[in-house]
Every structure is written in structure tokens, then in C-alpha cells.
Amino acid sequence: EDCSEKIVKMLGYTGSDHPTTVALNWLGMTYGSEMSDITSRVTNPELPKDAGTDDKNESYLVHFREEVSPHPKALLVKSVDLTDNAGSLYHHMTPERMPSLMRRVVKYTPVVAESKIALVGHSRAGNIEKSVASNALMALSAAEQTMDIIRRAA
């Protein structure tokens, strides 16, 4: 979702397909259907522009549960994304940014927690190597600590 417009522009595409569709098709043709599928699963669905914060957060969590959590490779990609997004929030800690940071903490907290549970489940089922799951769990735990610091500072 972050790069669809750039990919459309790079391709010189002028058709009527949605930019995300164009980008996913290009990914599939360039890197294979598995890459396109994983990217599609971790791409957040588009919501109405007037959707409220609670609705957006709920949609984010439902999307995670339905499209990401059941699929080990998508879960690993999302875990890295969450580690980067939630774990790097402290770089933006200024008094004027605290309301925005807290909105992100509220958004990310349940998904980080459910990611950890899903990683353990997939590891126990043999779908994700234990060492890979362990590294992802440590990184997500560090992101949780960052969010806790922000919560206490708010």
C-alpha cells in the first residue's frame, strides 16, 4: 500500500485498475506468485476516508487475524514490519508528537501481542523454524517495551 502509486508511475501504467492491483500483478510477474501473495496478505485493506480511529484499528486487527496470522511467511514479514514500526516509535518522542504516538501504540499493541502468540503456534507446529520464531519474538518483545515506555511517558 505504501508503494503502489510509485510502481504504477514506474511502469507508466495508465489503465483503470486500482494501483494496488497493478503493483501486486507486477510483483507476481517479477518475483513470483508467492511474493505477490505474501505482499497482498500484509497490505492493509483500503478503508473509507471517513472511517474513525476505532474502526481503523479494528479493521487492522481483523485483517491481521484473517490474512496474516494463519500464514507463516506473511506472519514473519508482518512481524518484521511491526518490529520496525512499533519498535522505532521512540525516535519520534517529543511532547507535540505524543498524541500521534499513542494512536500508533493503541493500533500496534494488540497486533504485536497476537503476532507473538501466532509465532509460537507456528513454531510448535513446525511451520516456522524455532530459531527464526525466537528471533522474531525477541524483536517483538523489544517493540512492546518501547510502546510501554511511550505509554508511561504520555
Side-chain angles (χ1 to χ4, degrees):
E1 87 225 37
D2 295 347
C3 304
S4 296
E5 297 286 341
K6 291 177 185 174
I7 292 172
V8 167
K9 186 175 180 179
M10 174 193 75
L11 296 173
Y13 180 79
T14 58
S16 61
D17 290 331
H18 192 279
T20 301
T21 302
V22 174
L24 290 171
N25 287 338
W26 175 78
L27 278 172
M29 290 186 300
T30 306
Y31 299 103
S33 61
E34 183 179 43
M35 181 63 68
S36 179
D37 179 62
I38 291 168
T39 303
S40 176
R41 290 185 184 286
V42 299
T43 299
N44 297 323
E46 207 170 300
L47 298 174
K49 294 199 185 299
D50 62 347
T53 301
D54 290 344
D55 290 337
K56 289 177 183 178
N57 291 347
E58 180 64 20
S59 173
Y60 186 67
L61 182 58
V62 168
H63 174 77
F64 171 81
R65 288 174 177 160
E66 293 175 356
E67 295 295 328
V68 178
S69 182
H71 304 278
K73 290 179 181 178
L75 177 62
L76 287 171
V77 169
K78 187 63 174 181
S79 294
V80 171
D81 185 47
L82 285 167
T83 297
D84 179 50
N85 291 345
S88 65
L89 290 175
Y90 68 90
H91 291 295
H92 307 285
M93 278 185 69
T94 61
E96 56 274 358
R97 288 189 172 173
M98 288 308 283
S100 172
L101 291 175
M102 279 307 300
R103 283 192 297 276
R104 290 185 184 136
V105 166
V106 168
K107 174 184 176 180
Y108 295 142
T109 297
V111 178
V112 168
E114 290 198 23
S115 292
K116 291 172 70 176
I117 293 167
L119 283 164
V120 169
H122 282 297
S123 177
R124 287 183 178 157
N127 301 326
I128 296 175
E129 288 184 37
K130 290 188 185 330
S131 62
V132 173
S134 178
N135 286 336
L137 288 165
M138 285 189 294
L140 288 169
S141 292
E144 283 179 319
Q145 290 173 351
T146 296
M147 291 189 295
D148 286 343
I149 291 167
I150 293 168
R151 234 186 249 90
R152 287 193 297 273

